[in-house]
Amino acid sequence: MRDLDALVAIDAACFPAGIAYPREEIEFLLRNPQVMTVVAELSGIIVGFAAFQRRQPRRSHPIGRYGELVTIEVLPQFRRQSIGAELYQTLEDSLRDWGGGRMQLHVSIENRAALSFYRRLGYRVIDRAPGYYLKTIDAWQMEKDLASS
Ligand SMILES: CC(C)(COP(=O)(O)OP(=O)(O)OC[C@H]1O[C@@H](n2cnc3c(N)ncnc32)[C@H](O)[C@@H]1OP(=O)(O)O)[C@@H](O)C(=O)NCCC(=O)NCCS
């Protein structure tokens, strides 16, 4: 929670107004015991963060434990240095340790950098969600099966 200001600033630098999280939403994420958040720190400065939520369907449900990637973001001047990949790997390792079998996420169809990033990590598109962002921008729903990687 002591990093809240830094996370709010990173989010505002990474996403346009309207898509960036309000401060209360980031605070809510940090307080949610089902959400794991990790930060990337360089020389004492936070340059990125990522979060995923543990999802546990009812016991009778055929789909087992999985994760939902909530966000992953690196300040523009620190990109393409594998910081995003390292943040992501920390979350995936945590999901595996918890017994999760797959990770899901949504990404704007206009976000080509993130789409390349996720494909490189082994994600595939499973659906298209119309108007997912601001009721006007579609998103790809993507998934990675952890058992097959
Ligand atoms: C997506 C994001 C987190 C990637 O972070 P990053 O630290 O730059 O990523 P990495 O350096 O670990 O990149 C790993 C690989 O992903 C791919 N990749 C990352 N950024 C890319 C880009 N702009 N264009 C094409 N491929 C890209 C590359 O294959 C890259 O490997 P390479 O550098 O050896 O070619 C970063 O671009 C970001 O913060 N974007 C804004 C926030 C955002 O859109 N988050 C996703 C929301 S759904």
Side-chain angles (χ1 to χ4, degrees):
M1 198 54 79
R2 68 172 190 272
D3 296 331
L4 179 61
D5 288 345
L7 272 47
V8 172
I10 291 171
D11 197 61
C14 287
F15 293 103
I19 291 188
Y21 285 119
R23 182 185 181 86
E24 306 74 54
E25 189 103 5
I26 297 181
E27 192 173 342
F28 182 74
L29 283 178
L30 294 175
R31 290 192 191 283
N32 185 339
Q34 297 308 321
V35 174
M36 180 190 177
T37 306
V38 288
V39 301
E41 211 177 82
L42 281 184
S43 308
I45 297 167
I46 297 177
V47 298
F49 74 99
F52 88 102
Q53 180 156 11
R54 299 183 195 94
R55 294 284 187 187
Q56 183 155 26
R58 277 192 296 274
R59 212 177 295 164
S60 56
H61 202 280
I63 296 173
R65 293 177 170 192
Y66 67 100
E68 262 178 39
L69 192 67
V70 178
T71 194
I72 182 159
E73 33 194 287
V74 175
L75 283 172
Q77 60 272 38
F78 294 99
R79 290 182 191 161
R80 300 307 284 267
Q81 297 174 41
S82 302
I83 294 170
E86 208 169 317
L87 280 167
Y88 172 78
Q89 197 55 52
T90 306
L91 298 186
E92 190 183 292
D93 289 348
S94 168
L95 177 59
R96 280 180 201 273
D97 288 348
W98 180 65
R102 66 206 160 85
M103 186 86 91
Q104 286 194 350
L105 60 85
H106 285 87
V107 56
S108 162
I109 62 167
E110 297 175 356
N111 193 343
R112 298 169 72 95
L115 195 56
S116 299
F117 174 75
Y118 291 133
R119 284 196 192 284
R120 170 83 180 267
L121 291 170
Y123 279 80
R124 65 189 175 90
V125 169
I126 56 170
D127 207 353
R128 182 171 176 143
Y132 187 84
Y133 294 102
L134 305 175
K135 296 197 165 84
T136 52
I137 305 166
D138 292 3
W140 297 120
Q141 186 179 4
M142 303 185 83
E143 184 176 276
K144 180 175 179 180
D145 180 359
L146 303 191
S148 63
S149 60

